[in-house]
Amino acid sequence: MDWDYPNPFTLPRTPQPADIDGLNHTNNAVYVRWCEQVGWAHSEALGLSLEDYRRLDRAMAIRRGEYDYLLPTAEGEALLIATWLVGGDGKLAMERRFQLVRERDGATVLRGRWDLVCIEISSGRPRRMPQEFLDTYMPVVVAAAP
């Protein structure tokens, strides 16, 4: 696959009948849900789960999400969704990127990005990332393209 960044964390996805909209292709909201799924799976693979977020009273919340829907996909198509952490200030903010690729021809069908901010779950206010977040996330950050 022609990935935007090295060493992607990937999950396979295949649109099911319930994912298909009135235009007979995968509904855009499904792609957003897949981004959430791969983001959580990546975090858990790195060693931070929702339980850890609750224990630490901290979370990386989406401040802004952007999605570029490049090509449609259809029911039953084999797809791979990839994610990377591509930026982080080591204090409050991080950036996560996504790329959805159709397996049969390697075409990129979606690109997305999230601007994330660390919050205190109990108050919803921005707070510095705990050391556990820094130790887990910062070593896997890849440089974003200019």
Side-chain angles (χ1 to χ4, degrees):
M1 295 290 166
D2 186 19
W3 297 114
D4 292 343
Y5 302 94
N7 304 314
F9 178 87
T10 63
L11 289 178
R13 289 292 176 257
T14 304
Q16 301 302 306
D19 298 328
I20 305 304
D21 64 17
L23 301 176
N24 208 31
H25 58 69
T26 308
N27 188 287
N28 292 352
V30 172
Y31 296 146
V32 173
R33 186 176 73 234
W34 289 348
C35 288
E36 180 185 16
Q37 290 170 352
V38 74
W40 269 118
H42 185 218
S43 185
E44 289 174 354
L46 293 171
L48 281 175
S49 68
L50 184 57
E51 311 320 333
D52 295 312
Y53 275 34
R54 290 181 181 138
R55 174 178 52 79
L56 296 165
D57 193 27
R58 295 292 186 275
M60 296 308 298
I62 303 166
R63 177 174 30 199
R64 178 181 173 86
E66 295 178 16
Y67 304 93
D68 294 322
Y69 303 97
L70 306 170
L71 294 169
T73 61
E75 180 182 337
E77 282 192 294
L79 309 169
L80 276 176
I81 188 161
T83 191
W84 303 262
L85 293 170
V86 299
D89 64 6
K91 298 173 189 163
L92 289 171
M94 292 177 54
E95 183 179 340
R96 182 178 283 284
R97 298 270 177 112
F98 303 94
Q99 184 181 2
L100 182 63
V101 172
R102 191 168 47 211
E103 286 191 41
R104 71 175 159 82
D105 61 1
T108 296
V109 300
L110 171 123
R111 283 192 176 90
R113 68 182 287 263
W114 289 349
D115 290 333
L116 302 164
V117 64
C118 187
I119 63 164
E120 181 178 59
I121 296 171
S122 58
S123 71
R125 293 195 171 126
R127 294 288 187 256
R128 287 185 72 97
M129 284 185 249
Q131 192 62 45
E132 212 167 318
F133 279 30
L134 297 172
D135 292 345
T136 301
Y137 292 136
M138 296 310 288
V140 300
V141 170
V142 298

